[in-house]
Amino acid sequence: MDKSTLMSLLVTVSVCVAQVSCRRLAHVKVLGFDWKNCGQPDTPAVLKTLALSPDPITIPGDLTASASGTTDVELAAPLPVTVTLEKEVAGFWVKIPCVEELGSCHYQDACAILNQLIPPGQDCPEPLHTYGLPCHCPFKAGSYSLPQSDFYVPDMDLPYWLTNGDYRIQGVLGNGNGKELGCLKVALSIHSN
């Protein structure tokens, strides 16, 4: 997963763990995962490759992922992220508002969110640790690559409003001075029993 999508998912999980309007879904399937960069040609942070399998992804279940990307600038705090989440309803794309810090929200500092999820001083989770990939700011300018790796995606609580359907997510990474550092669009479908 790219940093924006992973961050959105981690924020969702962390808020739900705090018991905020969540429900446990059985046998969730994520289908048709697709992504593309949406930044300008001179955007400094770019996801080059991202592959997830199988399709559909079953939660709970196994996932294989690989990714690579580059950044021409250091990504350091404060690192604002603006997420736009839309759901297809009757053939129209409807923007999901920001509810309890989830949905179409602006996050002041992605670095602070990462520090909440993985406290500073704690090793990065696998397989990031094995491949020497960082999980805390600052992310130095350079290239990053996650070789094909296997993950187990556990059961998770999802917000009550995250129901079956088709979704589009756009994440825009900023630098605190209004400059866009990166942009990523993701499309997927969620189906649960």
Side-chain angles (χ1 to χ4, degrees):
M1 277 186 207
D2 67 88
K3 291 177 187 170
S4 300
T5 304
L6 178 59
M7 188 167 310
S8 295
L9 179 60
L10 291 174
V11 169
T12 300
V13 171
S14 65
V15 170
C16 288
V17 168
Q19 304 299 317
V20 180
S21 302
C22 295
R23 61 192 169 116
R24 184 163 298 265
L25 297 178
H27 309 291
V28 175
K29 293 193 183 301
V30 176
L31 301 99
F33 179 90
D34 193 27
W35 67 276
K36 67 179 180 179
N37 286 296
C38 49
Q40 299 299 318
D42 63 345
T43 301
V46 177
L47 188 66
K48 299 285 188 182
T49 64
L50 176 62
L52 301 178
S53 64
D55 187 5
I57 298 165
T58 302
I59 302 172
D62 295 315
L63 167 71
T64 300
S66 63
S68 65
T70 61
T71 178
D72 296 334
V73 298
E74 181 177 80
L75 303 177
L79 195 60
V81 176
T82 300
V83 175
T84 303
L85 175 62
E86 297 174 309
K87 181 179 182 183
E88 187 177 20
V89 178
F92 296 96
W93 288 99
V94 178
K95 184 176 177 179
I96 305 294
C98 188
V99 177
E100 297 168 343
E101 294 296 314
L102 299 172
S104 297
C105 301
H106 177 76
Y107 302 97
Q108 295 293 327
D109 187 8
C111 297
I113 294 170
L114 286 173
N115 287 342
Q116 288 175 342
L117 296 172
I118 306 164
Q122 181 176 321
D123 285 342
C124 293
E126 291 298 338
L128 300 179
H129 181 73
T130 295
Y131 294 111
L133 295 171
C135 59
H136 291 286
C137 296
F139 295 91
K140 296 178 182 176
S143 296
Y144 294 90
S145 180
L146 175 67
Q148 185 170 318
S149 301
D150 295 325
F151 298 86
Y152 178 75
V153 182
D155 271 327
M156 61 182 69
D157 291 331
L158 297 174
Y160 68 90
W161 46 262
L162 193 60
T163 59
N164 291 347
D166 297 330
Y167 291 87
R168 296 191 305 201
I169 305 159
Q170 177 174 297
V172 178
L173 189 64
N175 70 352
N177 296 323
K179 180 171 172 40
E180 183 178 303
L181 298 178
C183 180
L184 191 74
K185 287 186 178 182
V186 172
L188 54 83
S189 297
I190 296 176
H191 296 279
S192 64
N193 299 353

